[in-house]
PDB file of all heavy atoms in Angstrom:
ATOM      1  N   ILE A1049      -4.169   0.460  56.978  1.00 98.00           N
ATOM      2  CA  ILE A1049      -5.480   0.255  57.669  1.00 98.00           C
ATOM      3  C   ILE A1049      -6.428  -0.452  56.747  1.00 98.00           C
ATOM      4  O   ILE A1049      -6.853   0.198  55.765  1.00 98.00           O
ATOM      5  CB  ILE A1049      -6.030   1.616  58.227  1.00 98.00           C
ATOM      6  CG1 ILE A1049      -5.069   2.361  59.198  1.00 98.00           C
ATOM      7  CG2 ILE A1049      -7.374   1.423  58.821  1.00 98.00           C
ATOM      8  CD1 ILE A1049      -5.249   3.707  59.316  1.00 98.00           C
ATOM      9  N   ASP A1050      -6.680  -1.686  56.902  1.00 98.00           N
ATOM     10  CA  ASP A1050      -7.456  -2.461  56.015  1.00 98.00           C
ATOM     11  C   ASP A1050      -8.862  -2.414  56.371  1.00 98.00           C
ATOM     12  O   ASP A1050      -9.344  -3.103  57.259  1.00 98.00           O
ATOM     13  CB  ASP A1050      -6.911  -3.862  55.899  1.00 98.00           C
ATOM     14  CG  ASP A1050      -7.690  -4.779  54.957  1.00 98.00           C
ATOM     15  OD1 ASP A1050      -8.547  -4.208  54.205  1.00 98.00           O
ATOM     16  OD2 ASP A1050      -7.408  -5.988  54.991  1.00 98.00           O
ATOM     17  N   GLY A1051      -9.650  -1.606  55.699  1.00 98.00           N
ATOM     18  CA  GLY A1051     -11.012  -1.420  56.043  1.00 98.00           C
ATOM     19  C   GLY A1051     -11.977  -2.243  55.160  1.00 98.00           C
ATOM     20  O   GLY A1051     -13.284  -2.002  55.073  1.00 98.00           O
ATOM     21  N   SER A1052     -11.393  -3.302  54.406  1.00 96.00           N
ATOM     22  CA  SER A1052     -12.225  -4.153  53.593  1.00 96.00           C
ATOM     23  C   SER A1052     -13.118  -5.069  54.449  1.00 96.00           C
ATOM     24  O   SER A1052     -12.714  -5.490  55.469  1.00 96.00           O
ATOM     25  CB  SER A1052     -11.229  -5.098  52.747  1.00 96.00           C
ATOM     26  OG  SER A1052     -10.356  -4.412  51.918  1.00 96.00           O
ATOM     27  N   ILE A1053     -14.284  -5.200  54.017  1.00 94.00           N
ATOM     28  CA  ILE A1053     -15.338  -6.008  54.706  1.00 94.00           C
ATOM     29  C   ILE A1053     -15.238  -7.399  54.215  1.00 94.00           C
ATOM     30  O   ILE A1053     -15.304  -8.368  55.013  1.00 94.00           O
ATOM     31  CB  ILE A1053     -16.669  -5.348  54.520  1.00 94.00           C
ATOM     32  CG1 ILE A1053     -16.745  -3.982  55.110  1.00 94.00           C
ATOM     33  CG2 ILE A1053     -17.697  -6.283  55.289  1.00 94.00           C
ATOM     34  CD1 ILE A1053     -16.326  -3.787  56.532  1.00 94.00           C
ATOM     35  N   ARG A1054     -15.152  -7.637  52.901  1.00 95.00           N
ATOM     36  CA  ARG A1054     -14.978  -8.875  52.381  1.00 95.00           C
ATOM     37  C   ARG A1054     -13.642  -9.534  52.719  1.00 95.00           C
ATOM     38  O   ARG A1054     -12.634  -8.794  52.826  1.00 95.00           O
ATOM     39  CB  ARG A1054     -15.162  -8.940  50.835  1.00 95.00           C
ATOM     40  CG  ARG A1054     -16.675  -8.532  50.410  1.00 95.00           C
ATOM     41  CD  ARG A1054     -16.799  -8.415  48.958  1.00 95.00           C
ATOM     42  NE  ARG A1054     -18.131  -8.193  48.575  1.00 95.00           N
ATOM     43  CZ  ARG A1054     -18.768  -6.917  48.530  1.00 95.00           C
ATOM     44  NH1 ARG A1054     -17.891  -5.908  48.684  1.00 95.00           N
ATOM     45  NH2 ARG A1054     -19.915  -6.796  48.169  1.00 95.00           N
ATOM     46  N   PRO A1055     -13.430 -10.866  52.603  1.00 94.00           N
ATOM     47  CA  PRO A1055     -12.093 -11.496  52.856  1.00 94.00           C
ATOM     48  C   PRO A1055     -11.108 -10.992  51.873  1.00 94.00           C
ATOM     49  O   PRO A1055     -11.449 -10.684  50.678  1.00 94.00           O
ATOM     50  CB  PRO A1055     -12.434 -12.914  52.767  1.00 94.00           C
ATOM     51  CG  PRO A1055     -13.897 -13.127  53.012  1.00 94.00           C
ATOM     52  CD  PRO A1055     -14.579 -11.889  52.556  1.00 94.00           C
ATOM     53  N   PRO A1056      -9.874 -10.945  52.221  1.00 94.00           N
ATOM     54  CA  PRO A1056      -8.840 -10.431  51.369  1.00 94.00           C
ATOM     55  C   PRO A1056      -8.777 -11.141  49.981  1.00 94.00           C
ATOM     56  O   PRO A1056      -8.476 -10.393  48.935  1.00 94.00           O
ATOM     57  CB  PRO A1056      -7.556 -10.727  52.112  1.00 94.00           C
ATOM     58  CG  PRO A1056      -7.989 -10.699  53.464  1.00 94.00           C
ATOM     59  CD  PRO A1056      -9.290 -11.405  53.517  1.00 94.00           C
ATOM     60  N   ASP A1057      -9.089 -12.395  49.934  1.00 94.00           N
ATOM     61  CA  ASP A1057      -9.025 -13.123  48.575  1.00 94.00           C
ATOM     62  C   ASP A1057     -10.129 -12.680  47.570  1.00 94.00           C
ATOM     63  O   ASP A1057      -9.942 -13.028  46.422  1.00 94.00           O
ATOM     64  CB  ASP A1057      -8.999 -14.636  48.793  1.00 94.00           C
ATOM     65  CG  ASP A1057     -10.246 -15.115  49.474  1.00 94.00           C
ATOM     66  OD1 ASP A1057     -10.831 -14.411  50.237  1.00 94.00           O
ATOM     67  OD2 ASP A1057     -10.626 -16.233  49.266  1.00 94.00           O
ATOM     68  N   ILE A1058     -11.147 -12.025  48.075  1.00 95.00           N
ATOM     69  CA  ILE A1058     -12.212 -11.634  47.117  1.00 95.00           C
ATOM     70  C   ILE A1058     -12.434 -10.021  47.152  1.00 95.00           C
ATOM     71  O   ILE A1058     -13.244  -9.596  46.404  1.00 95.00           O
ATOM     72  CB  ILE A1058     -13.555 -12.343  47.458  1.00 95.00           C
ATOM     73  CG1 ILE A1058     -14.010 -12.056  48.807  1.00 95.00           C
ATOM     74  CG2 ILE A1058     -13.397 -13.816  47.179  1.00 95.00           C
ATOM     75  CD1 ILE A1058     -15.448 -12.550  49.026  1.00 95.00           C
ATOM     76  N   SER A1059     -11.818  -9.392  48.007  1.00 97.00           N
ATOM     77  CA  SER A1059     -11.853  -7.967  48.108  1.00 97.00           C
ATOM     78  C   SER A1059     -11.083  -7.319  47.059  1.00 97.00           C
ATOM     79  O   SER A1059      -9.805  -7.394  47.020  1.00 97.00           O
ATOM     80  CB  SER A1059     -11.355  -7.410  49.548  1.00 97.00           C
ATOM     81  OG  SER A1059     -11.339  -6.013  49.535  1.00 97.00           O
ATOM     82  N   ARG A1060     -11.753  -6.475  46.223  1.00 97.00           N
ATOM     83  CA  ARG A1060     -11.145  -5.667  45.161  1.00 97.00           C
ATOM     84  C   ARG A1060     -10.232  -4.548  45.797  1.00 97.00           C
ATOM     85  O   ARG A1060      -9.127  -4.157  45.300  1.00 97.00           O
ATOM     86  CB  ARG A1060     -12.091  -5.182  44.183  1.00 97.00           C
ATOM     87  CG  ARG A1060     -12.807  -6.220  43.489  1.00 97.00           C
ATOM     88  CD  ARG A1060     -14.015  -5.713  42.594  1.00 97.00           C
ATOM     89  NE  ARG A1060     -14.983  -5.066  43.284  1.00 97.00           N
ATOM     90  CZ  ARG A1060     -16.258  -4.818  42.776  1.00 97.00           C
ATOM     91  NH1 ARG A1060     -16.616  -5.404  41.609  1.00 97.00           N
ATOM     92  NH2 ARG A1060     -17.195  -4.101  43.381  1.00 97.00           N
ATOM     93  N   THR A1061     -10.807  -3.943  46.885  1.00 98.00           N
ATOM     94  CA  THR A1061     -10.001  -2.899  47.562  1.00 98.00           C
ATOM     95  C   THR A1061      -8.766  -3.439  48.121  1.00 98.00           C
ATOM     96  O   THR A1061      -7.656  -2.866  47.940  1.00 98.00           O
ATOM     97  CB  THR A1061     -10.802  -2.268  48.799  1.00 98.00           C
ATOM     98  OG1 THR A1061     -12.073  -1.842  48.239  1.00 98.00           O
ATOM     99  CG2 THR A1061     -10.032  -1.143  49.391  1.00 98.00           C
ATOM    100  N   HIS A1062      -8.739  -4.567  48.743  1.00 98.00           N
ATOM    101  CA  HIS A1062      -7.555  -5.236  49.271  1.00 98.00           C
ATOM    102  C   HIS A1062      -6.510  -5.571  48.220  1.00 98.00           C
ATOM    103  O   HIS A1062      -5.393  -5.381  48.321  1.00 98.00           O
ATOM    104  CB  HIS A1062      -7.905  -6.500  50.016  1.00 98.00           C
ATOM    105  CG  HIS A1062      -6.800  -6.997  50.828  1.00 98.00           C
ATOM    106  ND1 HIS A1062      -5.864  -7.952  50.258  1.00 98.00           N
ATOM    107  CD2 HIS A1062      -6.458  -6.844  52.111  1.00 98.00           C
ATOM    108  CE1 HIS A1062      -4.922  -8.200  51.267  1.00 98.00           C
ATOM    109  NE2 HIS A1062      -5.329  -7.654  52.423  1.00 98.00           N
ATOM    110  N   ARG A1063      -7.078  -6.022  47.082  1.00 97.00           N
ATOM    111  CA  ARG A1063      -6.171  -6.275  45.937  1.00 97.00           C
ATOM    112  C   ARG A1063      -5.443  -5.083  45.405  1.00 97.00           C
ATOM    113  O   ARG A1063      -4.166  -5.200  45.119  1.00 97.00           O
ATOM    114  CB  ARG A1063      -7.054  -6.872  44.753  1.00 97.00           C
ATOM    115  CG  ARG A1063      -6.219  -7.341  43.523  1.00 97.00           C
ATOM    116  CD  ARG A1063      -7.004  -8.068  42.491  1.00 97.00           C
ATOM    117  NE  ARG A1063      -6.277  -8.350  41.354  1.00 97.00           N
ATOM    118  CZ  ARG A1063      -6.732  -8.776  40.187  1.00 97.00           C
ATOM    119  NH1 ARG A1063      -8.046  -9.041  40.066  1.00 97.00           N
ATOM    120  NH2 ARG A1063      -5.970  -9.058  39.150  1.00 97.00           N
ATOM    121  N   VAL A1064      -6.046  -3.947  45.308  1.00 98.00           N
ATOM    122  CA  VAL A1064      -5.454  -2.683  44.879  1.00 98.00           C
ATOM    123  C   VAL A1064      -4.418  -2.346  45.890  1.00 98.00           C
ATOM    124  O   VAL A1064      -3.202  -1.943  45.635  1.00 98.00           O
ATOM    125  CB  VAL A1064      -6.461  -1.701  44.683  1.00 98.00           C
ATOM    126  CG1 VAL A1064      -5.756  -0.292  44.268  1.00 98.00           C
ATOM    127  CG2 VAL A1064      -7.364  -1.992  43.483  1.00 98.00           C
ATOM    128  N   CYS A1065      -4.746  -2.343  47.140  1.00 98.00           N
ATOM    129  CA  CYS A1065      -3.802  -1.982  48.242  1.00 98.00           C
ATOM    130  C   CYS A1065      -2.554  -2.913  48.303  1.00 98.00           C
ATOM    131  O   CYS A1065      -1.510  -2.454  48.431  1.00 98.00           O
ATOM    132  CB  CYS A1065      -4.473  -1.981  49.569  1.00 98.00           C
ATOM    133  SG  CYS A1065      -5.752  -0.667  49.815  1.00 98.00           S
ATOM    134  N   SER A1066      -2.777  -4.138  48.118  1.00 98.00           N
ATOM    135  CA  SER A1066      -1.701  -5.166  48.106  1.00 98.00           C
ATOM    136  C   SER A1066      -0.722  -4.884  46.924  1.00 98.00           C
ATOM    137  O   SER A1066       0.394  -5.001  47.142  1.00 98.00           O
ATOM    138  CB  SER A1066      -2.258  -6.488  48.024  1.00 98.00           C
ATOM    139  OG  SER A1066      -3.031  -6.817  49.247  1.00 98.00           O
ATOM    140  N   ARG A1067      -1.257  -4.577  45.786  1.00 98.00           N
ATOM    141  CA  ARG A1067      -0.531  -4.276  44.654  1.00 98.00           C
ATOM    142  C   ARG A1067       0.362  -3.112  44.938  1.00 98.00           C
ATOM    143  O   ARG A1067       1.595  -3.004  44.642  1.00 98.00           O
ATOM    144  CB  ARG A1067      -1.271  -4.146  43.422  1.00 98.00           C
ATOM    145  CG  ARG A1067      -0.396  -3.806  42.145  1.00 98.00           C
ATOM    146  CD  ARG A1067       0.444  -5.002  41.762  1.00 98.00           C
ATOM    147  NE  ARG A1067      -0.411  -6.109  41.270  1.00 98.00           N
ATOM    148  CZ  ARG A1067      -0.711  -6.243  40.019  1.00 98.00           C
ATOM    149  NH1 ARG A1067      -0.355  -5.463  39.080  1.00 98.00           N
ATOM    150  NH2 ARG A1067      -1.538  -7.391  39.773  1.00 98.00           N
ATOM    151  N   PHE A1068      -0.229  -2.011  45.526  1.00 98.00           N
ATOM    152  CA  PHE A1068       0.461  -0.787  45.820  1.00 98.00           C
ATOM    153  C   PHE A1068       1.696  -1.141  46.821  1.00 98.00           C
ATOM    154  O   PHE A1068       2.808  -0.640  46.625  1.00 98.00           O
ATOM    155  CB  PHE A1068      -0.469   0.143  46.444  1.00 98.00           C
ATOM    156  CG  PHE A1068       0.239   1.469  46.960  1.00 98.00           C
ATOM    157  CD1 PHE A1068       0.469   2.526  46.102  1.00 98.00           C
ATOM    158  CD2 PHE A1068       0.655   1.594  48.392  1.00 98.00           C
ATOM    159  CE1 PHE A1068       1.153   3.671  46.637  1.00 98.00           C
ATOM    160  CE2 PHE A1068       1.259   2.632  48.787  1.00 98.00           C
ATOM    161  CZ  PHE A1068       1.566   3.752  47.932  1.00 98.00           C
ATOM    162  N   LEU A1069       1.382  -1.893  47.858  1.00 98.00           N
ATOM    163  CA  LEU A1069       2.338  -2.148  48.874  1.00 98.00           C
ATOM    164  C   LEU A1069       3.558  -2.977  48.328  1.00 98.00           C
ATOM    165  O   LEU A1069       4.659  -2.868  48.646  1.00 98.00           O
ATOM    166  CB  LEU A1069       1.780  -2.805  50.172  1.00 98.00           C
ATOM    167  CG  LEU A1069       0.890  -1.967  50.990  1.00 98.00           C
ATOM    168  CD1 LEU A1069       0.148  -2.728  52.083  1.00 98.00           C
ATOM    169  CD2 LEU A1069       1.686  -0.921  51.617  1.00 98.00           C
ATOM    170  N   ALA A1070       3.149  -4.012  47.450  1.00 97.00           N
ATOM    171  CA  ALA A1070       4.141  -4.823  46.882  1.00 97.00           C
ATOM    172  C   ALA A1070       5.152  -4.060  45.974  1.00 97.00           C
ATOM    173  O   ALA A1070       6.299  -4.267  46.029  1.00 97.00           O
ATOM    174  CB  ALA A1070       3.454  -5.947  46.046  1.00 97.00           C
ATOM    175  N   GLU A1071       4.602  -3.073  45.289  1.00 97.00           N
ATOM    176  CA  GLU A1071       5.450  -2.277  44.369  1.00 97.00           C
ATOM    177  C   GLU A1071       6.252  -1.328  45.256  1.00 97.00           C
ATOM    178  O   GLU A1071       7.458  -1.087  45.057  1.00 97.00           O
ATOM    179  CB  GLU A1071       4.620  -1.447  43.387  1.00 97.00           C
ATOM    180  CG  GLU A1071       5.419  -0.572  42.427  1.00 97.00           C
ATOM    181  CD  GLU A1071       6.369  -1.286  41.534  1.00 97.00           C
ATOM    182  OE1 GLU A1071       6.245  -2.495  41.467  1.00 97.00           O
ATOM    183  OE2 GLU A1071       7.307  -0.652  41.088  1.00 97.00           O
ATOM    184  N   TYR A1072       5.627  -0.771  46.290  1.00 97.00           N
ATOM    185  CA  TYR A1072       6.496   0.134  47.232  1.00 97.00           C
ATOM    186  C   TYR A1072       7.527  -0.627  47.879  1.00 97.00           C
ATOM    187  O   TYR A1072       8.664  -0.095  47.969  1.00 97.00           O
ATOM    188  CB  TYR A1072       5.485   0.754  48.195  1.00 97.00           C
ATOM    189  CG  TYR A1072       6.171   1.773  48.959  1.00 97.00           C
ATOM    190  CD1 TYR A1072       6.329   3.120  48.611  1.00 97.00           C
ATOM    191  CD2 TYR A1072       6.795   1.534  50.248  1.00 97.00           C
ATOM    192  CE1 TYR A1072       6.921   4.095  49.356  1.00 97.00           C
ATOM    193  CE2 TYR A1072       7.521   2.441  50.965  1.00 97.00           C
ATOM    194  CZ  TYR A1072       7.559   3.731  50.494  1.00 97.00           C
ATOM    195  OH  TYR A1072       8.239   4.620  51.255  1.00 97.00           O
ATOM    196  N   ARG A1073       7.295  -1.809  48.281  1.00 96.00           N
ATOM    197  CA  ARG A1073       8.291  -2.590  49.017  1.00 96.00           C
ATOM    198  C   ARG A1073       9.351  -3.067  47.999  1.00 96.00           C
ATOM    199  O   ARG A1073      10.475  -3.203  48.397  1.00 96.00           O
ATOM    200  CB  ARG A1073       7.667  -3.939  49.644  1.00 96.00           C
ATOM    201  CG  ARG A1073       6.840  -3.601  50.948  1.00 96.00           C
ATOM    202  CD  ARG A1073       7.810  -3.170  52.112  1.00 96.00           C
ATOM    203  NE  ARG A1073       8.908  -4.102  52.253  1.00 96.00           N
ATOM    204  CZ  ARG A1073       8.828  -5.161  53.085  1.00 96.00           C
ATOM    205  NH1 ARG A1073       7.624  -5.497  53.683  1.00 96.00           N
ATOM    206  NH2 ARG A1073       9.879  -5.906  53.263  1.00 96.00           N
ATOM    207  N   ARG A1074       9.033  -3.285  46.780  1.00 96.00           N
ATOM    208  CA  ARG A1074      10.000  -3.664  45.809  1.00 96.00           C
ATOM    209  C   ARG A1074      10.992  -2.546  45.582  1.00 96.00           C
ATOM    210  O   ARG A1074      12.222  -2.724  45.494  1.00 96.00           O
ATOM    211  CB  ARG A1074       9.300  -3.961  44.400  1.00 96.00           C
ATOM    212  CG  ARG A1074      10.406  -4.558  43.345  1.00 96.00           C
ATOM    213  CD  ARG A1074       9.545  -4.800  42.090  1.00 96.00           C
ATOM    214  NE  ARG A1074       9.282  -3.598  41.335  1.00 96.00           N
ATOM    215  CZ  ARG A1074      10.096  -2.875  40.621  1.00 96.00           C
ATOM    216  NH1 ARG A1074      11.353  -3.337  40.490  1.00 96.00           N
ATOM    217  NH2 ARG A1074       9.635  -1.931  40.014  1.00 96.00           N
ATOM    218  N   ARG A1075      10.448  -1.307  45.686  1.00 96.00           N
ATOM    219  CA  ARG A1075      11.288  -0.170  45.451  1.00 96.00           C
ATOM    220  C   ARG A1075      12.037   0.375  46.710  1.00 96.00           C
ATOM    221  O   ARG A1075      12.997   1.030  46.672  1.00 96.00           O
ATOM    222  CB  ARG A1075      10.507   1.015  44.811  1.00 96.00           C
ATOM    223  CG  ARG A1075      10.039   0.804  43.409  1.00 96.00           C
ATOM    224  CD  ARG A1075       9.077   1.804  42.875  1.00 96.00           C
ATOM    225  NE  ARG A1075       8.779   1.634  41.560  1.00 96.00           N
ATOM    226  CZ  ARG A1075       9.400   2.097  40.503  1.00 96.00           C
ATOM    227  NH1 ARG A1075      10.615   2.815  40.687  1.00 96.00           N
ATOM    228  NH2 ARG A1075       9.051   1.880  39.250  1.00 96.00           N
ATOM    229  N   ASN A1076      11.496  -0.074  47.902  1.00 96.00           N
ATOM    230  CA  ASN A1076      12.015   0.371  49.180  1.00 96.00           C
ATOM    231  C   ASN A1076      11.996  -0.842  50.056  1.00 96.00           C
ATOM    232  O   ASN A1076      11.190  -1.008  50.988  1.00 96.00           O
ATOM    233  CB  ASN A1076      11.010   1.438  49.767  1.00 96.00           C
ATOM    234  CG  ASN A1076      10.835   2.611  48.896  1.00 96.00           C
ATOM    235  OD1 ASN A1076      11.556   3.590  48.904  1.00 96.00           O
ATOM    236  ND2 ASN A1076       9.787   2.612  48.076  1.00 96.00           N
ATOM    237  N   PRO A1077      12.925  -1.736  49.873  1.00 95.00           N
ATOM    238  CA  PRO A1077      12.959  -3.034  50.590  1.00 95.00           C
ATOM    239  C   PRO A1077      13.095  -2.892  52.115  1.00 95.00           C
ATOM    240  O   PRO A1077      12.796  -3.871  52.825  1.00 95.00           O
ATOM    241  CB  PRO A1077      14.115  -3.726  49.928  1.00 95.00           C
ATOM    242  CG  PRO A1077      14.962  -2.709  49.279  1.00 95.00           C
ATOM    243  CD  PRO A1077      14.040  -1.677  48.855  1.00 95.00           C
ATOM    244  N   ASP A1078      13.652  -1.703  52.567  1.00 95.00           N
ATOM    245  CA  ASP A1078      13.814  -1.549  53.966  1.00 95.00           C
ATOM    246  C   ASP A1078      12.578  -1.132  54.680  1.00 95.00           C
ATOM    247  O   ASP A1078      12.582  -0.988  55.906  1.00 95.00           O
ATOM    248  CB  ASP A1078      14.982  -0.625  54.255  1.00 95.00           C
ATOM    249  CG  ASP A1078      16.382  -1.213  53.818  1.00 95.00           C
ATOM    250  OD1 ASP A1078      16.463  -2.395  53.800  1.00 95.00           O
ATOM    251  OD2 ASP A1078      17.190  -0.426  53.411  1.00 95.00           O
ATOM    252  N   ALA A1079      11.529  -0.800  53.880  1.00 96.00           N
ATOM    253  CA  ALA A1079      10.284  -0.232  54.507  1.00 96.00           C
ATOM    254  C   ALA A1079       9.701  -1.322  55.444  1.00 96.00           C
ATOM    255  O   ALA A1079       9.779  -2.488  55.159  1.00 96.00           O
ATOM    256  CB  ALA A1079       9.285   0.146  53.470  1.00 96.00           C
ATOM    257  N   ARG A1080       9.032  -0.807  56.515  1.00 96.00           N
ATOM    258  CA  ARG A1080       8.388  -1.700  57.509  1.00 96.00           C
ATOM    259  C   ARG A1080       6.864  -1.474  57.383  1.00 96.00           C
ATOM    260  O   ARG A1080       6.388  -0.381  57.593  1.00 96.00           O
ATOM    261  CB  ARG A1080       8.949  -1.324  58.977  1.00 96.00           C
ATOM    262  CG  ARG A1080       8.437  -2.198  59.992  1.00 96.00           C
ATOM    263  CD  ARG A1080       9.235  -1.895  61.276  1.00 96.00           C
ATOM    264  NE  ARG A1080       8.675  -2.608  62.450  1.00 96.00           N
ATOM    265  CZ  ARG A1080       7.869  -1.939  63.412  1.00 96.00           C
ATOM    266  NH1 ARG A1080       7.505  -0.742  63.234  1.00 96.00           N
ATOM    267  NH2 ARG A1080       7.524  -2.616  64.433  1.00 96.00           N
ATOM    268  N   VAL A1081       6.211  -2.531  57.074  1.00 97.00           N
ATOM    269  CA  VAL A1081       4.752  -2.415  56.828  1.00 97.00           C
ATOM    270  C   VAL A1081       4.023  -3.132  57.987  1.00 97.00           C
ATOM    271  O   VAL A1081       4.218  -4.253  58.220  1.00 97.00           O
ATOM    272  CB  VAL A1081       4.409  -3.069  55.484  1.00 97.00           C
ATOM    273  CG1 VAL A1081       2.863  -2.897  55.344  1.00 97.00           C
ATOM    274  CG2 VAL A1081       5.125  -2.403  54.408  1.00 97.00           C
ATOM    275  N   SER A1082       3.090  -2.390  58.660  1.00 97.00           N
ATOM    276  CA  SER A1082       2.109  -2.921  59.602  1.00 97.00           C
ATOM    277  C   SER A1082       0.746  -3.003  59.023  1.00 97.00           C
ATOM    278  O   SER A1082       0.215  -1.908  58.544  1.00 97.00           O
ATOM    279  CB  SER A1082       2.194  -2.111  60.897  1.00 97.00           C
ATOM    280  OG  SER A1082       3.424  -2.013  61.402  1.00 97.00           O
ATOM    281  N   VAL A1083       0.120  -4.190  58.986  1.00 97.00           N
ATOM    282  CA  VAL A1083      -1.252  -4.372  58.443  1.00 97.00           C
ATOM    283  C   VAL A1083      -2.199  -4.484  59.610  1.00 97.00           C
ATOM    284  O   VAL A1083      -2.133  -5.335  60.456  1.00 97.00           O
ATOM    285  CB  VAL A1083      -1.267  -5.639  57.564  1.00 97.00           C
ATOM    286  CG1 VAL A1083      -2.584  -5.718  56.945  1.00 97.00           C
ATOM    287  CG2 VAL A1083      -0.201  -5.403  56.463  1.00 97.00           C
ATOM    288  N   LEU A1084      -3.166  -3.614  59.652  1.00 98.00           N
ATOM    289  CA  LEU A1084      -4.275  -3.615  60.624  1.00 98.00           C
ATOM    290  C   LEU A1084      -5.670  -4.004  59.973  1.00 98.00           C
ATOM    291  O   LEU A1084      -6.280  -3.028  59.416  1.00 98.00           O
ATOM    292  CB  LEU A1084      -4.308  -2.294  61.285  1.00 98.00           C
ATOM    293  CG  LEU A1084      -5.427  -2.138  62.370  1.00 98.00           C
ATOM    294  CD1 LEU A1084      -5.289  -3.146  63.493  1.00 98.00           C
ATOM    295  CD2 LEU A1084      -5.476  -0.750  63.008  1.00 98.00           C
TER     296      LEU A1084
END
């Protein structure tokens, strides 16, 4: 659930969440991620 108000390319919150998801997917490649 992406509650960032600023666009993703300048949102610091989005950057932290994206790094978390990237690492989680790297360790769990079968995970299914839905972005809202």
Side-chain angles (χ1 to χ4, degrees):
I1049 302 161
D1050 180 7
S1052 302
I1053 301 302
R1054 295 178 175 87
D1057 59 332
I1058 63 174
S1059 168
R1060 298 176 298 202
T1061 306
H1062 191 276
R1063 183 177 175 185
V1064 176
C1065 290
S1066 294
R1067 180 67 66 89
F1068 174 85
L1069 289 173
E1071 180 63 16
Y1072 187 87
R1073 286 293 307 275
R1074 187 181 73 82
R1075 294 174 175 272
N1076 304 273
D1078 293 332
R1080 181 169 176 260
V1081 180
S1082 300
V1083 183
L1084 177 61

